[in-house]
Amino acid sequence: MKPKSITSDVKNVSLMDLNQRLRCYFTLELFTLGGGRQSLSSFDIHTREYPSKIANITDVVKALKKRFPSCEVLTNSQGNVIHLVERVLAARPDYALTRHVSIDYTGFLGSGRDEAHATYGLVPALQKQIPTLTIKTEGSLQNLFNDFATRVSIKATNETARDILTKAVPLSGYSAVLWRAESIESRGVLQTVHQFYGPR
């Protein structure tokens, strides 16, 4: 009798599968090279698959580190959100998402005027303290990743922009990828464009 192949039973799973099974979430921090080229694309991250034997978030982190060696893989303080950050960004002292700020914000999570609180979105509120952090204002994906619906209230003291953007998201019913940030250096200034993915 022919021995059973070990690999024949291996089934790969997506980030969405891992999200549903382990209740973990993801954020993406990408760097755009000159001429619009990206060293790592959002599409590439979404389409990759991972071994089904992954049993916990620690395993997810290990798998991501192996699959994307050009990235740092960090987790939030609760351990349920995994940040995939290109190393070139993590090493920059001028990177917007590692800036520490304090904020008291109530209004829309994504951009959009909230008449009740006279606010325009969490990122525009952070931009007052971090001028190099902006929302996407052009391109075909502008509306696809702008959460007009979710209202939030968040207070933070001396926390990184990354942590504030993550803590503000109500995880229940939200996309497996909470948000993405794409950075580009122009004339010596590192600019970061941020977009929330929105509810499922």
Side-chain angles (χ1 to χ4, degrees), residues 3-200:
K4 191 174 183 180
S5 169
I6 295 174
T7 57
S8 66
D9 291 334
V10 174
K11 178 187 173 189
N12 291 333
V13 295
S14 68
L15 288 183
M16 308 311 146
D17 294 322
L18 294 172
N19 160 255
Q20 292 174 11
R21 181 151 51 90
L22 303 176
R23 293 293 179 259
C24 58
Y25 297 83
F26 307 89
T27 70
L28 310 177
E29 299 177 40
L30 311 173
F31 182 68
T32 300
L33 304 168
R37 293 176 297 115
Q38 289 185 317
S39 54
L40 182 65
S41 74
S42 179
F43 178 79
D44 183 45
I45 293 166
H46 280 290
T47 56
R48 292 291 181 97
E49 293 194 327
Y50 307 88
S52 60
K53 65 181 180 181
I54 287 175
N56 52 50
I57 293 176
T58 301
D59 288 346
V60 178
V61 170
K62 287 178 182 176
L64 287 169
K65 284 181 177 179
K66 185 176 180 181
R67 185 60 61 92
F68 301 107
S70 66
C71 293
E72 286 194 9
V73 183
L74 313 170
T75 57
N76 67 336
S77 56
Q78 290 77 34
N80 59 346
V81 179
I82 300 168
H83 306 290
L84 197 59
V85 186
E86 289 203 68
R87 290 187 193 281
V88 65
L89 296 172
R92 295 279 300 252
D94 57 345
Y95 181 41
L97 296 194
T98 57
R99 286 274 308 275
H100 283 76
V101 294
S102 298
I103 193 168
D104 184 352
Y105 174 82
T106 299
F108 283 117
L109 186 57
S111 63
R113 180 168 175 76
D114 189 325
E115 299 289 348
H117 301 100
T119 57
Y120 293 87
L122 179 56
V123 172
L126 287 170
Q127 188 181 18
K128 293 175 183 177
Q129 300 177 67
I130 312 172
T132 56
L133 177 65
T134 61
I135 57 171
K136 191 171 182 70
T137 56
E138 58 185 21
S140 60
L141 297 181
Q142 177 186 351
N143 294 327
L144 183 59
F145 298 118
N146 184 22
D147 186 351
F148 293 107
T150 306
R151 283 184 166 83
V152 298
S153 185
I154 183 168
K155 281 187 179 182
T157 303
N158 195 31
E159 295 190 35
T160 65
R162 178 188 292 121
D163 287 343
I164 291 169
L165 292 164
T166 302
K167 285 181 178 180
V169 180
L171 299 182
S172 179
Y174 215 80
S175 170
V177 178
L178 305 179
W179 52 260
R180 74 178 180 195
E182 298 179 19
S183 298
I184 187 169
E185 188 168 16
S186 177
R187 298 180 182 178
V189 178
L190 186 66
Q191 298 279 352
T192 300
V193 175
H194 182 278
Q195 293 175 285
F196 290 103
Y197 271 59
R200 277 198 288 264

